[in-house]
Amino acid sequence: MADPSSYRPRPGEIPTDPGVYRFRDEHGRVIYVGKAKNLRQRLANYFQPLASLHPRTQQMVTTAASVQWTVVRTEVEALALEYSWIKEFDPRFNVKYRDDKSYPYLAVTLGEAIPRAQVLRGAKRPGTRYFGPFGHAWAIRETLDLLLRVFPVRTCSAGVYRRAEQTGRPCLLGYIDKCSAPCVGRISQADHHALAEDLCAFMAGDAARFLGPLTAQMREASADLEFERAARLRDDIAALEKVVERNAVVLDDGTDADIFALAGDELEAAVQVFHVRGGRIRGQRGWVVEKVEEITDAGLVAQLLAQVYGEAAESDDRDARREGVPREVLVPFLPDDADGLTTWLTGIRGSKVEIRVPQRGTKATLAETVHKNAEHALALHRTRRTGDLTTRSQALREIQDALELDSAPLRIECFDISTTQGTHQVASMVVFEDGLARKSEYRTFAIKGPDGDGVPDDTAAMHEAITRRFRRYLADRASAGEPELATGALDEDDALPAEERKRFAYPPNLVVVDGGQPQVAAARRALDELGVTDVALCGLAKRLEEVWLPDDDYPVIMERTSEGLYLLQRVRDEAHRFAITAHRKRRGRAMTSSVLDGVPGVGPARAKKLLTHFGSVKRLRAASVEEIATVPGMGPQTAAAVVAALASPGATPEGNAPTS
């Protein structure tokens, strides 16, 4: 626990300009990011007597070891930079927005030569227009099925499209007129792209642009006694009207607004937002917020808007920005720095945006509905996670007491080894922070051994995995300006890009190895050789779930029903699962590796061309250098290398590398 006075900057050193500040812990990890109109006034609030601070703020300033700041010109720039750094560093003391589900969107890939309409979840991709979010994927598919009558855009995958191009025959949707079949040239690329843009325009709320002309065409066909054409147009109009009717009209047709609501207490809150476009509810989304910092409702709304619209700010697509940021943002509390947020959102949208609290009328009524949804979401969240925060804290406290640690192990890393009779050895590293899995920081290590042929047993594999993990840690700390910590050089095979290696710069509070005394001894030896003395270590043996500590002749026995043991078991089991998965992938790649894999100048693309041209490895083996050189992309030198590789004793008749 650090004393905030030990790293408090002198008041005269802190500027009075707008800016963004970062608190870092003793390992250099960013633990909190904030913005301020006046950096000097804002930072002074953190260095008051600890007794006067909120408990969460106390924990943050005592965990931190330094504070840095960056001056910007305006509050708007501070807002954008704060969002960017929160996204980059994921500080543990900032408010966490946990989406209560992965919402599906109707996506149209306008950035492709032949746009495709499909259901997508997750991170948004550049060059793609998104509509939603929808509550269920089936709702998108039903909507899209109706729209394909009028806008028959491509919905097939890249593989299906290529196959149709090669065979000259469209898929089933092409035969039933729910795809314009650009794959076989029924429609030009330009016309198909225009069709996809019309679909986007309709989904964006411009329904009248299409319903009016279709109605006129239907009447004209009927007057000309073209009843079949009139009937088709009638059905097209009915399909579009059905799509429109699914979103009940709640406001005036020209209303574009996002309506937010909050429900919660000082520990957590549920957030709901209704997306209204063209007077209709186009989508709904929700988050559960863990208030890991002291924050008011107005401050929470300000951070919420920065998180929600920050994604739109990063888009290069003007239409996507206009779709992502509406004309009106209706909130339950006027946010802190409302003027700065308004200026920021106006810049993203490219036209005026208004942030306000609805007071009366239909918008206030709809805001009440959104608030009821937030209350229901919070009740459901609490039902699902009753005692979760308390249970995790209890588990970490029990581990601290059982292992006699100085503090609770907020970051736990667990290692396991997977192998098949000594071959394809793989070590896994899983990470749990605050009792929750942090899958983005999972890693695997292909065990190489001193000669590159593996190691004789699991203890040697564990020694290598621990050595490589903490060697990276020491190298990263050295690159950050602490060269005295670098006691070992980084293997060439362990070298990683800077953005990847920085994840190893933060040591765990506790290392858990899957196994008993031998595995723990191997891990301790690796840490001692590297000079790492500030990381606790234990092993969890499967047979009796015993917890082994270094240099102890007897294990620590934790109660079978204790939350601490349950957490250690979950960590160990997750490491075991991850190791087995990685081992199977490595073994599968080895079993299907081709003799062409090791030929200089022959990559996957050239190998595929060779096998496609000759039909099999047997025919390729019988081919001469001149015949191989006729394959597109192959030259005489590469062809000679292929012949030499196939003639080598190690090449099997089936063309696969021998496996053990």
Side-chain angles (χ1 to χ4, degrees):
M1 178 180 294
D3 181 359
S5 62
S6 65
Y7 63 88
R8 177 178 183 173
R10 290 192 296 271
E13 296 177 345
I14 308 175
T16 57
D17 302 305
V20 182
Y21 54 91
R22 306 180 300 278
F23 281 89
R24 294 179 180 269
D25 64 12
E26 59 181 345
H27 304 296
R29 187 173 191 173
V30 176
I31 61 172
Y32 184 76
V33 173
K35 68 177 186 306
K37 296 180 183 179
N38 184 316
L39 284 167
R40 183 180 299 176
Q41 290 181 2
R42 185 73 184 95
L43 287 174
N45 294 333
Y46 292 101
F47 296 102
Q48 302 175 27
L50 290 178
S52 64
L53 295 176
H54 189 280
R56 297 184 196 85
T57 308
Q58 288 183 22
Q59 186 179 7
M60 189 273 288
V61 297
T62 54
T63 302
S66 64
V67 61
Q68 300 169 319
W69 55 84
T70 299
V71 175
V72 296
R73 292 178 298 175
T74 65
E75 298 167 25
V76 176
E77 290 184 6
L79 182 68
L81 184 59
E82 180 194 36
Y83 167 79
S84 175
W85 279 352
I86 288 175
K87 185 176 180 181
E88 177 182 355
F89 297 118
D90 188 23
R92 54 177 294 219
F93 284 100
N94 280 90
V95 168
K96 305 294 184 182
Y97 291 88
R98 303 188 185 279
D99 211 336
D100 57 5
K101 66 171 75 172
S102 176
Y103 286 91
Y105 288 80
L106 171 59
V108 183
T109 58
L110 292 177
E112 297 182 0
I114 308 295
R116 175 190 179 193
Q118 58 185 316
V119 179
L120 283 181
R121 299 176 185 263
K124 294 185 177 180
R125 308 170 185 175
T128 301
R129 287 287 302 278
Y130 290 84
F131 302 95
F134 288 75
H136 303 281
W138 56 261
I140 304 180
R141 295 190 178 97
E142 287 188 0
T143 298
L144 187 57
D145 187 62
L146 292 169
L147 291 174
L148 290 179
R149 285 189 56 92
V150 185
F151 310 106
V153 300
R154 167 196 162 211
T155 57
C156 61
S157 66
V160 172
Y161 186 87
R162 284 196 300 270
R163 188 158 56 248
E165 274 188 318
Q166 293 169 355
T167 61
R169 296 192 305 272
C171 62
L172 176 62
L173 292 177
Y175 283 111
I176 63 176
D177 296 327
K178 286 200 171 181
C179 178
S180 53
C183 53
V184 295
R186 285 188 190 171
I187 187 174
S188 67
Q189 289 190 9
D191 289 342
H192 183 270
H193 205 282
L195 198 62
E197 290 176 345
D198 287 344
L199 171 62
C200 292
F202 180 86
M203 288 300 299
D206 195 3
R209 170 184 161 190
F210 303 98
L211 288 172
L214 286 175
T215 302
Q217 292 175 31
M218 179 187 67
R219 290 173 179 169
E220 181 182 345
S222 179
D224 294 340
L225 305 182
E226 298 179 9
F227 298 118
E228 291 185 3
R229 179 166 172 264
R232 286 196 300 271
L233 290 169
R234 177 202 62 200
D235 294 342
D236 290 348
I237 293 169
L240 294 184
E241 288 179 339
K242 190 172 182 180
V243 172
V244 172
E245 289 168 0
R246 284 188 171 183
N247 297 310
V249 178
V250 293
L251 300 168
D252 295 337
D253 286 346
T255 301
D256 288 342
D258 284 348
I259 305 175
F260 291 86
L262 299 174
D265 53 29
E266 63 176 12
L267 294 178
E268 59 186 359
V271 180
Q272 286 284 313
V273 56
F274 279 15
H275 302 284
V276 178
R277 301 293 184 270
R280 295 169 173 82
I281 299 175
R282 297 294 185 184
Q284 175 187 358
R285 195 176 179 188
W287 298 264
V288 174
V289 178
E290 293 182 11
K291 298 181 182 179
V292 293
E293 60 174 301
E294 183 182 5
I295 191 169
T296 63
D297 289 333
L300 186 60
V301 170
Q303 291 199 9
L304 173 65
L305 298 185
Q307 293 287 323
V308 171
Y309 298 116
E311 190 173 297
E314 296 179 340
S315 175
D316 295 328
D317 188 335
R318 181 180 177 184
D319 291 334
R321 293 199 302 271
R322 290 184 65 85
E323 179 70 21
V325 181
R327 297 190 189 96
E328 289 183 283
V329 177
L330 306 180
V331 293
F333 306 95
L334 202 63
D336 293 338
D337 188 23
D339 293 339
L341 279 167
T342 301
T343 303
W344 181 58
L345 294 178
T346 298
I348 298 172
R349 178 177 170 82
S351 60
K352 185 178 179 181
V353 175
E354 184 180 4
I355 302 175
R356 65 186 184 88
V357 179
Q359 300 294 336
R360 62 184 66 87
T362 54
K363 292 178 181 177
T365 302
L366 183 57
E368 292 177 3
T369 302
V370 182
H371 184 262
K372 288 181 180 178
N373 278 268
E375 290 178 333
H376 289 309
L378 183 62
L380 180 61
H381 168 74
R382 286 175 172 170
T383 300
R384 290 175 174 172
R385 297 187 61 185
T386 298
D388 236 18
L389 295 173
T390 303
T391 302
R392 295 203 314 265
S393 299
Q394 179 184 346
L396 294 173
R397 188 165 56 250
E398 289 179 358
I399 294 173
Q400 176 186 354
D401 294 341
L403 304 186
E404 298 181 355
L405 305 178
D406 294 333
S407 60
L410 297 180
R411 180 181 172 103
I412 302 175
E413 293 181 5
C414 185
F415 294 79
D416 188 21
I417 309 296
S418 182
T419 182
T420 301
Q421 296 180 345
T423 63
H424 313 305
Q425 296 166 316
V426 174
S428 68
M429 181 189 93
V430 302
V431 179
F432 276 59
E433 287 194 351
D434 297 329
L436 295 175
R438 194 174 178 87
K439 294 191 177 183
S440 63
E441 300 201 9
Y442 285 15
R443 294 294 180 270
T444 58
F445 302 86
I447 302 302
K448 293 172 280 191
D451 302 322
D453 298 326
V455 293
D457 54 34
D458 282 359
T459 58
M462 186 65 72
H463 179 274
E464 179 177 326
I466 297 291
T467 298
R468 289 169 59 185
R469 186 266 180 265
F470 283 93
R471 184 179 291 155
R472 291 178 180 177
Y473 157 60
L474 295 174
D476 284 353
R477 291 297 302 272
S479 65
E482 300 183 37
E484 68 275 6
L485 292 175
T487 59
L490 189 67
D491 288 345
E492 182 180 351
D493 291 341
D494 288 344
L496 294 170
E499 62 272 12
E500 177 74 6
R501 290 179 55 230
K502 69 179 181 181
R503 297 183 184 276
F504 287 98
Y506 315 117
N509 303 108
L510 174 65
V511 168
V512 180
V513 298
D514 183 13
Q517 277 183 308
Q519 287 77 13
V520 173
R524 169 51 66 195
R525 189 169 69 255
L527 293 175
D528 290 344
E529 290 170 358
L530 294 172
V532 177
T533 59
D534 57 346
V535 175
L537 172 67
C538 74
L540 185 61
K542 288 188 180 72
R543 188 171 66 90
L544 297 174
E545 303 295 6
E546 302 162 328
V547 180
W548 289 91
L549 298 176
D551 304 322
D552 281 5
D553 295 330
Y554 300 97
V556 175
I557 306 298
M558 300 181 67
E559 291 186 16
R560 287 283 180 170
T561 58
S562 73
E563 292 295 336
L565 179 59
Y566 176 63
L567 176 57
L568 289 177
Q569 289 172 328
R570 281 200 299 132
V571 172
R572 189 268 317 278
D573 293 344
E574 179 69 353
H576 186 62
R577 178 200 65 80
F578 195 54
I580 289 177
T581 301
H583 170 67
R584 286 173 178 168
K585 288 181 180 178
R586 189 179 183 205
R587 187 178 60 193
R589 286 195 299 267
M591 293 177 67
T592 59
S593 61
S594 168
V595 288
L596 296 175
D597 290 346
V599 180
V602 179
R606 284 184 173 178
K608 183 177 180 180
K609 287 182 180 179
L610 287 171
L611 294 175
T612 301
H613 181 84
F614 289 100
S616 67
V617 174
K618 182 178 180 180
R619 293 179 180 176
L620 177 60
R621 193 187 302 276
S624 64
V625 173
E626 292 74 15
E627 291 173 330
I628 295 175
T630 61
V631 177
M634 299 292 295
Q637 186 175 356
T638 307
V642 171
V643 170
L646 294 177
S648 65
T652 64
E654 295 78 20
N656 290 339
T659 58
S660 55

